[in-house]
């Protein structure tokens, strides 16, 4: 800061100040300085790379590409520029497009820049979705700062949460990405182990990023505040932030998963169902939390048949039993008694307790009442009587007698 006081309006001092801004994540301030110097010195072409890197850090990848192109036209073999170009392609398109751009760098780097070997190897692992991470990243942790963070991400994706936590727990945080990643690791570990301390740490880190002046209006910043309120179960606030960035995630499965859960939590099951059905990722779709929210949304939207069909596709397990309980109780609560009766009947067969018999009895009577009111087909009565036959309770004969007498009076064949 003492040197800061003596800065003069000369190129060297201003470029030093811009570098400090960059290192402190004040990218727009750095851009302003670089562009001012460029206006006065058009021949300083390398400054275009610095401007492009700042725009990359601000997530303006298309703008970064435009600025970078000015430099690459003059210096097509620049290691730094070609690497940044590949990274922009990764963000704008996909890993294959990025790897194709990196081939130019791979062809020249071995004969020009020794340091680029680690850089290329590191970025190739990222572009290939983590393939070879355990072979490449550990040796680079003290060479390339992002290697540690990407190794943490790799462990998270492999559900190796403790390994991820061990890598990041003692890291001195300085960049927003480091705060965010440590928050995510603590959130996952806290939920997996029911640890209030880890969840509290995650909340604090998410809030620190989302509330900071440099990040509050960025997409990651708003995601952080959404995550902060999600952990607090304040879902109206979650949706306030998710809605502000929704247009940037039209086909993002994780976004749609969180958005659907938040919508369901405030009782907007129509939009929750829409969000859940957009998800394509099999690991999410096979998760019990996803399945239970989707089934509940079906029932709350009057689509109990879809909920029942979803259950029938599941293999027998503790999760399928829990889903059956959810269907039985939610269908009963929503007056969709036919599927409540079917669900309670299966539960009673699996676990013959009075509770499930009472649920089935009430649901069967509910179906009968709907038939009397003309809101259910009389054809359902055959199924109700079949379900009642599976129970040995003395009440069964009484119920069956009343239902059969009504059917006989109405000349309905059973």
């Amino acid at each position: 800061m003492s040197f800061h006081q003596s800065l003069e309006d000369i190129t060297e001092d201003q470029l030093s100040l811009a570098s400090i801004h960059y290192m402190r994540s004040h990218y727009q301030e750095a851009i302003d300085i670089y562009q001012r110097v460029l206006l006065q010195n058009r021949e300083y072409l390398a400054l275009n790379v610095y401007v492009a890197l700042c725009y990359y850090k601000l997530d303006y990848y298309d703008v970064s590409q435009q600025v970078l192109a000015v430099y690459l036209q003059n210096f097509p073999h620049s290691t730094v520029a070609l690497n940044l170009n590949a990274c922009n392609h990764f963000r704008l398109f996909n890993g294959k497009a990025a790897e194709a751009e990196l081939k130019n760098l791979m062809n020249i780097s071995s004969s020009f820049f020794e340091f680029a070997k680690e850089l290329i190897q590191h970025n190739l692992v990222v572009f290939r979705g983590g393939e070879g991470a355990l072979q490449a990243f550990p040796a680079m942790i003290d060479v390339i700062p992002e290697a540690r963070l990407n190794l943490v991400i790799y462990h998270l994706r492999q559900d190796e949460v403790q390994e991820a936590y061990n890598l990041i727990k003692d890291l001195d945080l300085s960049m927003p990405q480091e705060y965010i990643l440590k928050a995510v690791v603590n959130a996952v570990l806290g939920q997996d182990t029911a640890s209030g301390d880890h969840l509290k740490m995650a909340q604090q880190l998410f809030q620190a990023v989302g509330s900071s002046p440099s990040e509050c209006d960025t997409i990651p910043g708003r995601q952080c505040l959404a995550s902060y309120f999600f952990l607090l179960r304040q879902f109206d606030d979650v949706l306030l932030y998710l809605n502000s960035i929704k247009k940037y995630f039209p086909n993002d499965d994780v976004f749609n998963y969180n958005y659907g859960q938040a919508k369901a939590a405030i009782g907007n099951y129509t939009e929750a169902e829409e969000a859940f059905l957009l998800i394509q990722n099999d690991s999410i779709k096979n998760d019990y939390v996803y399945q239970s929210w989707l089934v509940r949304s079906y029932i709350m939207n009057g689509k109990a048949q879809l909920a029942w069909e979803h259950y029938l596709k599941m293999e027998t397990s503790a999760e399928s039993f829990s889903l059956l309980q959810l269907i039985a109780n939610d269908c009963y609560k929503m007056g969709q008694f036919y599927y409540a009766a079917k669900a309670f009947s299966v539960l009673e067969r699996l676990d013959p307790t009075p509770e499930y018999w009472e649920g089935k009895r009430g649901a069967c009577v509910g179906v009968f009442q709907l038939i009397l009111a003309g809101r259910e087909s009389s054809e359902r009565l055959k199924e109700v009587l079949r379900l009642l036959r599976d129970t040995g309770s003395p009440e069964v004969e009484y119920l069956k007698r009343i239902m059969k007498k009504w059917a006989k009076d109405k000349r309905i064949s059973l």
Side-chain angles (χ1 to χ4, degrees):
M1 292 306 295
S2 62
F3 281 111
H4 195 171
Q5 303 301 320
S6 59
L7 286 174
E8 298 179 23
D9 191 16
I10 58 175
T11 302
E12 289 82 354
D13 282 12
Q14 290 304 303
L15 292 181
S16 297
L17 179 59
S19 296
I20 296 299
H21 280 313
Y22 178 86
M23 292 170 69
R24 297 179 70 186
S25 303
H26 299 163
Y27 303 117
Q28 189 58 56
E29 290 87 339
I31 289 171
D32 293 342
I33 293 173
Y34 288 136
Q35 289 181 332
R36 190 163 63 245
V37 173
L38 266 171
L39 280 174
Q40 300 166 358
N41 305 275
R42 293 285 185 185
E43 71 278 12
Y44 289 179
L45 291 174
L47 296 190
N48 288 290
V49 180
Y50 301 155
V51 174
L53 191 53
C54 289
Y55 278 122
Y56 175 87
K57 291 288 191 177
L58 288 170
D59 298 338
Y60 293 125
Y61 308 116
D62 48 351
V63 180
S64 178
Q65 280 295 83
Q66 294 168 14
V67 177
L68 192 61
V70 177
Y71 184 77
L72 281 171
Q73 285 171 4
N74 292 273
F75 301 96
H77 295 151
S78 164
T79 301
V80 174
L82 286 172
N83 178 66
L84 180 55
N85 184 52
C87 292
N88 276 323
H89 274 73
F90 178 64
R91 297 295 190 179
L92 289 168
F93 307 110
N94 52 47
K96 285 186 177 180
E99 191 171 342
E101 291 298 317
L102 206 58
K103 281 184 179 176
N104 296 323
L105 181 53
M106 292 165 67
N107 292 336
I108 65 166
S109 63
S110 58
S111 57
F112 283 100
F113 294 99
E114 186 67 24
F115 82 90
K117 288 183 179 179
E118 286 85 1
L119 190 65
I120 293 169
Q121 188 182 7
H122 172 275
N123 286 355
L124 275 177
V125 173
V126 176
F127 296 163
R128 292 170 179 171
E131 182 183 324
L134 292 180
Q135 291 73 38
F137 289 159
M140 297 181 188
I141 284 178
D142 296 322
V143 180
I144 298 173
E146 289 83 359
R148 178 186 296 272
L149 304 184
N150 283 316
L151 187 55
V152 171
I153 292 170
Y154 174 81
H155 283 307
L156 279 177
R157 287 178 173 168
Q158 302 301 312
D159 290 327
E160 298 165 354
V161 185
Q162 190 61 51
E163 288 85 344
Y165 178 71
N166 292 340
L167 275 170
I168 205 167
K169 64 179 180 180
D170 297 323
L171 181 67
D172 290 329
L173 306 177
S174 59
M175 306 291 287
Q177 293 88 345
E178 295 167 350
Y179 278 84
I180 293 170
L181 196 53
K182 189 167 184 177
V184 171
V185 171
N186 275 279
V188 176
L189 190 59
Q191 290 175 320
D192 282 355
T193 62
S195 166
D197 290 340
H198 285 300
L199 290 174
K200 189 174 182 181
M201 173 63 73
Q203 291 169 15
Q204 291 171 349
L205 292 169
F206 280 134
Q207 188 182 32
V209 177
S211 303
S212 67
S214 63
E215 295 297 315
C216 63
D217 289 325
T218 65
I219 293 173
R222 294 188 178 198
Q223 285 177 296
C224 283
L225 281 178
S227 299
Y228 167 70
F229 285 117
F230 204 109
L231 292 174
L232 289 176
R233 300 181 180 275
Q234 296 179 17
F235 295 103
D236 285 314
D237 292 314
V238 171
L239 289 166
L240 179 70
Y241 288 98
L242 291 185
N243 278 321
S244 72
I245 56 175
K246 186 181 179 184
K247 65 181 179 181
Y248 300 104
F249 298 92
N251 300 306
D252 188 287
D253 286 341
V254 174
F255 180 89
N256 286 326
Y257 190 21
N258 290 331
Y259 191 76
Q261 289 180 80
K263 282 289 184 181
I266 66 166
N268 188 339
Y269 290 101
T270 301
E271 291 188 41
E273 180 187 338
E274 291 172 358
F276 290 139
L277 292 177
L278 288 173
I279 294 171
Q280 300 296 316
N281 185 295
D282 287 335
S283 65
I284 294 177
K285 291 168 75 171
N286 292 329
D287 182 55
Y288 175 73
V289 175
Y290 169 84
Q291 294 182 347
S292 60
W293 274 121
L294 177 61
V295 162
R296 171 161 285 170
S297 298
Y298 280 149
I299 295 168
M300 296 302 167
N301 292 332
K303 302 175 182 177
Q305 182 177 348
L306 291 178
W308 182 250
E309 289 172 356
H310 188 94
Y311 160 74
L312 292 178
K313 294 175 185 174
M314 297 181 69
E315 295 182 6
T316 302
S317 65
E319 290 183 349
S320 67
F321 188 80
S322 295
L323 200 67
L324 197 59
Q325 291 176 309
L326 185 150
I327 292 171
N329 289 299
D330 277 11
C331 282
Y332 196 103
K333 183 169 67 176
M334 297 304 294
Q336 298 176 62
F337 294 116
Y338 174 67
Y339 289 101
K342 288 170 76 73
F344 275 122
S345 182
V346 177
L347 286 169
E348 184 192 27
R349 191 163 65 247
L350 295 172
D351 182 13
T353 62
E355 179 187 348
Y356 293 139
W357 153 241
E358 289 166 7
K360 184 171 84 168
R361 179 189 62 194
C364 287
V365 171
V367 176
F368 187 47
Q369 287 179 323
L370 291 175
I371 293 171
L372 295 178
R375 291 164 55 194
E376 273 281 15
S377 168
S378 57
E379 289 294 311
R380 297 283 199 211
L381 197 55
K382 293 179 185 178
E383 177 73 4
V384 168
L385 288 167
R386 187 189 68 76
L387 293 174
L388 287 172
R389 275 201 303 272
D390 295 337
T391 304
S393 170
E395 296 173 83
V396 170
E397 292 305 318
Y398 173 70
L399 292 174
K400 284 165 60 179
R401 193 162 58 247
I402 291 175
M403 292 177 184
K404 286 179 178 179
K405 182 178 184 306
W406 176 84
K408 185 178 179 180
D409 292 344
K410 294 294 181 179
R411 298 182 178 180
I412 295 172
S413 174
L414 296 175

